[in-house]
């Protein structure tokens, strides 16, 4: 068996830390550089040095989204940011109202948090997206009530890469004086974000989706008009009381550097990724019975989610073992359930099962893409030769009319 | 997901992939499973006048374990009488392929496919 | 600079950095991904889980990785409370803010928060606890060793009291881990919090050790990681670092204890000889071997700390998290230390890289600072 590593096409699950970021992080760890201090130590240089580095990182994160550094709260990742934003708002504003609006295709960090709040007595509306994965603004507006305190919608979907019109949603929420939370884990550093122009009140960010370290995230919390939160992690009163816990200096420095690099390189990088993605799409388009999932226009340049009809998802993953791809969200792909995102788009179980998400990134090359195209052609052919469904399709049988045996 | 070497072998080199003409009186076809459940197996047997399975073939839409289970049973049923073939148990298949608990249903499906093919053959006679 | 604040944080051990680096570079997979890159990260995570479990004699399945000690403490208290009807919670008298503040938050959600007492050394004994636990008590939380004074609580005895009453016991062992032998299985605890960066591991990783019989609601929802007990992509590199740091702490525990205890004893002898007015806190208790908490009346602690910083010594007044406050230490208050002495408190916590010469220089600095400050007649403690 070859020990060669599979080609990585799963940048939406996680990214490698950029070597420039890793280099910077390493200075904030050991005694050698003397920069390992606890930023909460106010009695010596070690603590002050850590604080200085953390504040520089805070400025870099704020700059990428057009925020003030004082509006950035460090967390352990986007999941914590989502939990803090949604539970924090719900608990603080519960006297004002008990209704929250979100969408069925949100990340589990949002959905599971909303489910938890339902058990605590909140009401949650889970909007259905359109077939292309986008939200119909009229449906969103229709779901808004007097008791609605929060709308939580993601900027870019992790599975299908579609970009919601957050600016229009922000206008709608602001007009109704409803707080607007955006899970931007998949969009930070990939799509321009301006929290003021987009009228976003809370925004979740992740470092490891944009070449920073795992275990690091941030939540943007608007100061004007001021958004209040009930803290979810209590303790030493770090982060102005909104999130306690010793700040992991090296992680924060890593996130700051990753966001700084993203700001500088986003424009040129997007162009290159779009070119590679289109090359991949063109290369796969001549396979019969392939379906792109999610809108192709309003979509990040690095994502291609595609279903190969009449082949089964798990055997497809096995066949494509030389490619590190994902079938559905990384967080749920350990289970055999079809992707709930694709199901919400109205895709059949079969097409949802046979979907592959290619997500390309900073270190993907043209040769990688060409290899993937060739491999897909070969393996899809092989699996279809094995597939009774493919035979039936070729014979012109409409599979939806077949009486399947239950099991 | 960790697969056994035997599953990998059958998945990489499936035995007896193909189709027989279902109009042939000596052919029995069993199709079990459903696309929505993630696996469909089609097992075909060719039975001699003495009631012995002379040949078998399959096509499967499903995971590696499902493909391996059906590939394996095409090997096993060949040369068996209908009664002997009908006696093949899913536990034998699961044991041979060292299927993990979450994949036991693949062996159940393969057993069902044998029975369905035999029933189909018998219905023609 | 001489770093003498190892209870606030420790520098990362070079060997730990070495273990972490591959996971910041080429082994970057998401442990939830099923492909090879994901599986590689997953197996690293599981190895770290075994290493952390081994350090405290727990089963690997009892380890829930968190973003640190604060999250572990919050997850213990709130996770337990969410799965129970509001009743009474009893805390130790000298708990860290990451126990006291979540308890206050629970207080706003219908929980009654009680506090058990301690002796003049800050130690809570079984009898004292026994009086504080009533029929309404659903959970008790007492730290294993105190971050400021280093005083060690008799956890097994406290656990026996709790077991008798059928109440689970949580212990914040953030300061104890790596400095004392810990045995979760034998301790009788149901919950225990750990942190990596106090034992030469990285910041941003910690763990909550949970007895499987205890149902906890997750603090972070979403994604189903850590067997549905803590959502969020795992901080693989930091967790790998935590595992390696735990392994080293276990292997080197005795030598580390001896090394820091020798330094601490030497320091305290020299301090008492050079400045007879010095008061050392909690000396009647079993203490963490590396910690010395003292005052040099009538000097004010903050002034002394700043002066020492100018001379290149990093020391603390107590908990780093509370360092911004002018309040005297709540730990000394609980011990019944007079406010004048409490305002003079300085904490020195030794680590692997300290040496005898650090102590000599510290004593020299302390003596000359004392003379200088007293000579100026300034910055004496409140009377």
């Amino acid at each position: 068996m070859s020990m060669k590593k599979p080609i990585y096409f799963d940048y939406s699950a996680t990214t490698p830390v950029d070597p420039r970021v890793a280099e910077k992080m390493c200075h904030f760890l050991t005694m050698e550089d003397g920069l390992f201090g606890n930023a909460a130590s106010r009695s010596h240089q070690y603590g002050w040095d850590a604080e200085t580095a953390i504040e520089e990182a805070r400025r870099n994160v704020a700059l990428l989204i057009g925020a003030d550094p004082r509006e950035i709260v460090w967390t352990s990742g986007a999941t914590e940011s989502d939990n803090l934003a949604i539970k924090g708002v719900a608990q603080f504003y519960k006297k004002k109202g008990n209704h929250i609006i979100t969408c069925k295709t949100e990340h589990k960090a949002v959905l599971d948090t909303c489910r938890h709040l339902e058990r605590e007595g909140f009401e949650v509306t889970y909007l259905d997206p359109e077939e292309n994965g986008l939200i119909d603004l009229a449906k969103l507006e229709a779901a808004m009530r007097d008791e609605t305190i929060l709308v939580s919608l993601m900027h870019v979907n992790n599975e299908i890469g579609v970009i919601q019109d957050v600016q229009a949603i922000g206008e709608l929420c602001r007009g109704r004086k409803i707080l607007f939370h955006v899970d931007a884990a998949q969009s930070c550093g990939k799509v321009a974000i301006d929290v003021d122009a987009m009228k976003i009140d809370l925004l979740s960010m992740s470092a490891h989706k944009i070449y920073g370290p795992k275990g690091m995230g941030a939540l943007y919390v608007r100061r004007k008009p001021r958004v209040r939160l009930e803290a979810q992690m209590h303790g030493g009163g770090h982060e102005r009381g909104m999130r306690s816990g010793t700040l992991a200096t090296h992680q924060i420095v890593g996130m700051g550097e990753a966001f700084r690099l993203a700001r500088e390189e986003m424009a040129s990088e997007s162009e290159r990724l779009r070119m590679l993605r289109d090359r991949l799409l063109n290369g796969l388009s001549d396979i019969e019975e392939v379906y792109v999932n999610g809108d192709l226009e309003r979509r990040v340049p690095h994502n291609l989610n595609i279903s190969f009809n009449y082949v089964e998802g798990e055997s497809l993953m096995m066949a494509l073992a030389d490619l590190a791809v994902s079938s559905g969200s990384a967080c749920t792909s350990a289970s055999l359930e079809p992707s709930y995102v694709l199901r919400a788009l109205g895709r059949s179980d079969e097409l949802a099962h046979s979907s592959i998400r290619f997500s390309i990134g900073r270190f993907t090359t043209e040769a990688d893409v060409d290899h993937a195209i060739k491999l897909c052609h070969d393996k899809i052919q092989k699996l279809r030769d094995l597939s009774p469904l493919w035979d039936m399709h070729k014979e012109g049988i409409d599979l939806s009319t077949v009486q399947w045996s239950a099991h | 997901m960790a697969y056994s070497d035997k599953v990998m072998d059958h998945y990489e080199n499936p035995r007896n992939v193909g189709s027989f003409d279902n109009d042939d009186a000596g052919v029995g076809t069993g199709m079990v499973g459903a696309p929505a459940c993630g696996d469909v197996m089609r097992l075909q047997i060719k039975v001699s006048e003495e009631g012995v399975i002379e040949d078998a073939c399959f096509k499967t839409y499903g995971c590696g374990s499902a493909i391996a289970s059906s590939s394996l049973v095409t090997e096993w049923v060949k040369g068996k009488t209908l009664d002997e073939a009908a006696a093949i148990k899913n536990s034998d298949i699961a044991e041979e392929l060292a299927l993990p608990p979450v994949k036991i249903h693949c062996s159940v499906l393969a057993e069902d496919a044998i029975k369905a093919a035999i029933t189909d053959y018998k219905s023609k006679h | 600079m001489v770093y003498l604040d190892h209870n606030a944080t420790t520098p990362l051990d070079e060997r730990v950095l070495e273990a972490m680096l591959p996971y910041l570079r080429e082994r970057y997979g998401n442990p939830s991904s099923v492909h090879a890159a994901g599986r590689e990260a997953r197996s690293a995570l599981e190895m770290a889980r075994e290493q952390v479990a081994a350090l405290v004699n727990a089963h690997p399945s009892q380890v829930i990785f968190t973003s640190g000690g604060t999250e572990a403490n919050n997850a213990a208290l709130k996770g337990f409370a969410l799965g129970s009807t509001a009743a009474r919670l009893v805390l130790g008298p000298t708990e860290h803010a990451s126990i006291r503040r979540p308890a206050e938050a629970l207080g706003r959600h219908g929980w009654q928060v009680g506090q058990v007492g301690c002796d003049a050394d800050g130690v809570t004994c079984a009898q004292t606890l026994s009086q504080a636990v009533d029929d309404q008590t659903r959970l008790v939380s007492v730290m294993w060793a105190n971050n400021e004074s280093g005083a060690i609580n008799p956890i097994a005895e406290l656990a026996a009291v709790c077991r008798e009453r059928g109440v689970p016991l949580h212990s914040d062992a953030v300061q104890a881990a790596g400095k004392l032998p810990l045995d979760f299985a034998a301790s009788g605890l149901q919950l225990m919090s750990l942190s990596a960066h106090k034992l030469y591991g990285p910041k941003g990783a910690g763990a909550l050790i949970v007895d499987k019989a205890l149902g906890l609601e997750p603090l972070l929802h979403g994604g189903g990681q850590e067997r549905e007990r803590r959502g969020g992509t795992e901080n693989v590199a930091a967790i790998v670092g935590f595992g390696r740091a735990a392994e080293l702490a276990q292997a080197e525990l005795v030598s580390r204890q001896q090394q820091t205890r020798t330094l601490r004893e030497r320091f305290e002898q020299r301090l008492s000889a050079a400045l007879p007015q010095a008061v050392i806190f909690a000396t009647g208790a079993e203490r963490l071997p590396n910690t010395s908490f003292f005052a040099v009346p009538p000097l004010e602690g903050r002034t002394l700390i700043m002066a020492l910083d100018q001379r290149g010594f990093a020391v603390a007044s107590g908990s780093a998290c509370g360092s911004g406050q002018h309040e005297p230490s709540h730990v000394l208050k609980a011990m019944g230390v007079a406010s004048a002495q409490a305002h003079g408190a300085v904490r020195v916590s030794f680590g692997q890289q300290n040496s005898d010469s650090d102590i000599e220089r510290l004593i020299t600095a302390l003596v000359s600072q004392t003379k200088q400050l007293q000579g100026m007649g300034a910055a004496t403690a409140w009377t």
Side-chain angles (χ1 to χ4, degrees):
Chain A
M1 218 164 124
S2 122
M3 289 305 289
K4 198 172 148 279
K5 277 208 167 186
I7 303 174
Y8 197 73
F9 280 103
D10 208 7
Y11 283 81
S12 295
T14 191
T15 59
V17 175
D18 189 292
R20 294 167 289 183
V21 172
E23 162 69 22
K24 187 148 188 187
M25 287 171 69
C26 287
H27 292 300
F28 292 85
L29 286 165
T30 61
M31 188 56 108
E32 202 182 352
D33 295 286
L35 293 171
F36 63 87
N38 185 331
S41 291
R42 297 286 157 80
S43 55
H44 50 71
Q45 194 69 39
Y46 294 91
W48 303 326
D49 286 345
E51 196 187 12
T52 304
I54 284 167
E55 294 316 310
E56 187 198 322
R58 205 188 295 277
R59 279 193 295 279
N60 276 321
V61 169
L63 269 175
L64 186 68
I65 59 166
D68 183 296
R70 290 169 297 180
E71 296 175 312
I72 304 299
V73 176
W74 302 119
T75 68
S76 66
T79 292
E80 187 186 333
S81 300
D82 287 340
N83 273 260
L84 173 57
I86 297 169
K87 291 179 197 166
V89 163
Q91 287 163 6
F92 194 91
Y93 293 97
K94 66 183 170 199
K95 290 211 173 73
K96 195 168 165 249
N98 72 335
H99 181 238
I100 294 167
I101 300 172
T102 184
C103 174
K104 287 181 178 165
T105 53
E106 292 296 307
H107 191 270
K108 287 284 184 193
V110 168
L111 294 177
D112 288 358
T113 300
C114 286
R115 293 270 179 239
H116 171 75
L117 287 174
E118 282 185 281
R119 291 197 294 277
E120 290 200 338
F122 289 87
E123 281 185 49
V124 181
T125 300
Y126 300 91
L127 296 172
D128 281 304
E130 301 306 294
E131 259 181 50
N132 60 4
L134 297 169
I135 298 277
D136 180 340
L137 291 177
K139 289 180 186 166
L140 170 62
E141 191 165 18
M144 290 175 167
R145 315 175 190 162
D146 291 344
E147 317 84 73
T148 308
I149 49 174
L150 179 70
V151 168
S152 177
L153 292 170
M154 70 207 312
H155 192 189
V156 167
N157 184 274
N158 48 314
E159 292 195 27
I160 54 178
V162 299
I163 307 171
Q164 297 293 349
D165 187 353
V166 286
Q167 182 147 4
I169 298 169
E171 293 281 355
L172 209 54
C173 292
R174 190 63 60 84
R176 299 283 297 256
K177 292 197 164 58
I178 297 169
L179 294 177
F180 181 31
H181 167 244
V182 175
D183 176 351
Q186 293 287 346
S187 66
C188 269
K190 291 153 187 167
V191 180
I193 296 176
D194 183 328
V195 287
D196 283 336
M198 292 169 164
K199 298 194 166 50
I200 293 167
D201 296 307
L202 298 134
L203 182 109
S204 299
M205 293 168 267
S206 167
H208 79 101
K209 306 287 191 191
I210 185 75
Y211 311 98
K214 293 176 185 60
M216 192 61 222
L219 180 67
Y220 158 81
V221 185
R222 176 171 290 286
R223 282 165 65 92
K224 282 180 193 162
R226 190 170 175 205
V227 174
R228 308 288 299 272
L229 289 180
E230 175 145 337
Q232 299 299 305
M233 234 179 261
H234 298 87
H238 310 76
E239 300 298 285
R240 297 181 310 288
M242 280 191 266
R243 200 278 189 181
S244 289
T246 296
L247 294 173
T249 318
H250 69 291
Q251 305 252 87
I252 292 171
V253 164
M255 180 164 178
E257 185 65 1
F259 273 51
R260 188 184 70 77
L261 292 170
R263 194 172 78 241
E264 286 181 357
E265 298 173 4
M266 188 160 75
S268 59
E269 190 163 32
S270 291
E271 270 321 297
R272 197 184 77 89
L273 295 179
R274 185 181 304 282
M275 187 270 290
L276 288 175
R277 196 267 315 273
D278 290 348
R279 187 182 182 92
L280 180 61
L281 176 60
N282 289 334
L284 298 177
S285 297
D286 59 342
I287 300 178
E288 284 177 82
E289 286 289 321
V290 297
Y291 299 88
V292 173
N293 298 307
D295 197 274
L296 205 47
E297 294 305 313
R298 294 192 50 84
R299 187 188 196 94
V300 284
H302 60 276
N303 169 294
L304 182 64
N305 189 313
I306 194 162
S307 290
F308 300 93
N309 211 357
Y310 310 116
V311 297
E312 188 274 336
E314 204 182 316
S315 57
L316 183 58
M317 287 287 282
M318 256 173 102
L320 299 179
D322 286 348
L323 309 178
V325 291
S326 131
S327 59
S329 151
C331 298
T332 53
S333 48
S335 73
L336 302 173
E337 292 289 303
S339 150
Y340 67 91
V341 172
L342 299 186
R343 295 288 290 118
L345 265 52
R347 284 291 193 221
S348 68
D349 279 348
E350 297 92 301
L351 277 179
H353 265 304
S354 70
S355 73
I356 292 287
R357 179 186 69 184
F358 293 91
S359 46
I360 54 185
R362 194 167 284 172
F363 308 102
T364 310
T365 64
E366 227 169 71
D368 292 342
V369 169
D370 290 346
H371 180 83
I373 292 169
K374 182 171 183 317
L375 196 74
C376 286
H377 274 266
D378 294 352
K379 298 294 183 176
I380 299 293
Q381 189 60 49
K382 182 191 161 187
L383 287 172
R384 282 182 175 166
D385 286 346
L386 263 176
S387 169
L389 304 183
W390 183 246
D391 274 1
M392 294 162 83
H393 165 70
K394 283 290 175 189
E395 287 162 21
I397 298 169
D398 177 358
L399 294 183
S400 65
T401 65
V402 175
Q403 191 79 30
W404 301 101
S405 71
H407 92 279
Chain B
M1 183 114 10
Y3 284 105
S4 68
D5 290 346
K6 279 183 181 160
V7 169
M8 287 307 293
D9 180 38
H10 278 281
Y11 173 77
E12 294 290 347
N13 311 294
R15 331 289 201 255
N16 308 308
V17 176
S19 314
F20 299 144
D21 181 0
N22 200 33
D23 294 336
D24 184 336
V27 169
T29 302
M31 182 142 81
V32 293
C37 305
D39 26 35
V40 175
M41 279 182 196
R42 187 182 68 196
L43 178 72
Q44 292 184 297
I45 50 175
K46 203 174 267 180
V47 186
S48 71
E49 285 179 5
E50 294 76 34
V52 174
I53 298 172
E54 290 180 315
D55 204 356
C57 67
F58 84 100
K59 284 205 176 187
T60 289
Y61 163 90
C63 65
S65 298
I67 290 170
S69 297
S70 36
S71 168
L72 177 70
V73 296
T74 60
E75 287 192 317
W76 276 5
V77 298
K78 270 199 247 182
K80 285 195 164 67
T81 65
L82 292 179
D83 287 345
E84 286 167 352
I88 293 174
K89 288 269 166 297
N90 83 285
S91 51
D92 303 334
I93 301 165
E95 191 183 343
E96 172 69 15
L97 295 172
L99 296 181
V102 292
K103 294 295 179 189
I104 296 300
H105 70 275
C106 297
S107 63
V108 174
L109 208 59
E111 181 190 320
D112 290 351
I114 301 172
K115 296 205 160 83
I118 293 170
T119 305
D120 181 59
Y121 171 80
K122 284 183 173 166
S123 72
K124 291 179 177 175
H125 293 85
Chain C
M1 281 265 268
V2 179
Y3 188 74
L4 296 165
D5 199 9
H6 291 82
N7 287 7
T9 192
T10 56
L12 192 77
D13 191 306
E14 294 284 350
R15 294 167 293 179
V16 173
L17 177 63
E18 211 171 291
M20 288 170 66
L21 282 177
Y23 295 91
L24 286 176
R25 294 178 178 151
E26 63 273 19
R27 298 181 197 165
Y28 49 80
N30 184 328
S32 294
S33 297
V34 294
H35 49 63
R39 294 198 303 272
E40 179 178 67
R42 160 77 43 208
S43 73
L45 209 59
E46 296 316 316
M47 187 174 119
R49 200 184 302 283
E50 286 171 21
Q51 290 166 322
V52 170
L55 176 68
V56 298
N57 192 32
H59 190 272
S61 65
Q62 294 174 316
V63 177
I64 304 175
F65 285 119
T66 66
S67 67
T70 292
E71 184 186 328
N73 281 340
N74 274 263
L77 262 52
K78 292 190 203 160
F80 180 85
L82 281 167
S84 164
T85 48
R88 189 159 183 268
L89 171 71
V90 172
L91 303 185
T94 63
E95 295 302 305
H96 188 262
S98 56
I99 288 291
R100 289 180 286 130
R101 301 284 171 260
E104 283 167 18
L106 291 175
R108 294 191 290 273
H109 288 94
W111 282 76
Q112 209 194 355
V113 182
Q115 190 171 299
V116 63
C118 62
D119 63 19
D121 290 306
V123 175
T124 297
C125 68
Q127 201 190 345
T128 312
L129 180 63
S130 175
Q131 287 156 6
V133 177
D134 63 11
D135 291 348
Q136 287 301 302
T137 305
R138 296 285 173 275
L139 180 69
V140 177
S141 179
V142 179
M143 70 201 317
W144 200 303
N146 185 263
N147 49 311
E148 297 186 12
S149 70
I152 299 166
N153 279 307
I155 291 299
E157 290 167 34
L158 302 182
V161 170
C162 291
R163 189 167 52 241
E164 215 170 86
R165 308 295 181 83
V167 178
L169 176 63
H170 165 257
S171 186
D172 173 356
V174 162
Q175 291 291 344
K179 299 179 190 135
L180 301 175
L182 301 185
D183 187 331
F184 182 75
S187 68
L189 288 172
Q190 278 69 44
L191 292 156
M192 180 165 86
S193 302
L194 304 173
S195 165
H197 79 99
K198 309 284 191 191
L199 43 90
Y200 304 92
K203 294 174 186 63
L208 180 63
I209 314 293
V210 187
D211 185 325
K212 264 175 273 185
L214 207 66
L216 283 189
E217 177 76 21
L219 188 65
L220 294 184
H221 292 94
Q225 287 89 349
E226 297 296 285
R227 301 180 178 204
E228 310 275 338
R229 295 175 301 185
R230 198 273 188 184
T233 298
E234 300 88 341
N235 189 353
V236 182
I239 290 170
V240 164
F242 186 12
R244 180 73 174 123
E247 185 183 56
L248 292 168
Q250 193 183 10
E252 298 170 5
L253 178 67
V254 175
S255 66
R256 288 183 189 186
Q257 283 185 313
Q258 277 168 353
Q259 182 241 356
T260 52
R261 181 177 285 117
T262 308
L263 290 173
R264 200 258 312 268
E265 279 171 6
R266 186 180 177 85
F267 168 72
E268 291 187 346
Q269 280 163 9
R270 299 278 288 112
L271 178 70
S272 302
L275 297 165
Q277 72 273 38
V279 181
I280 301 169
F281 302 115
T283 47
E286 286 281 324
R287 282 184 292 159
L288 293 174
N290 77 321
T291 308
S292 186
F293 200 30
F294 63 94
V296 186
L299 292 181
E300 213 256 337
R302 290 173 53 81
T303 314
L304 191 52
I305 288 161
M306 291 302 161
L308 285 172
D309 176 65
Q310 300 274 301
R311 291 173 170 246
F313 295 93
V315 300
S317 58
S319 161
C321 306
S323 297
Q325 300 159 358
H326 284 261
E327 288 280 299
S329 147
H330 74 285
V331 175
L332 293 175
K333 220 165 147 184
M335 288 160 63
V337 172
S339 139
Q341 272 186 12
H343 271 103
V346 173
R347 179 187 70 189
V348 169
S349 44
F350 298 102
Q352 301 310 294
Q353 276 146 334
N354 294 132
S355 63
D356 280 354
S357 73
D358 293 341
I359 289 174
E360 292 311 320
R361 289 167 56 203
L362 176 63
I363 293 291
T364 309
L366 270 171
V367 169
S368 82
Q369 273 308 321
T370 307
K371 282 186 184 148
Q372 197 179 331
L373 290 170
Q374 276 181 314
M376 285 159 62
T380 53
W382 310 343
T383 48

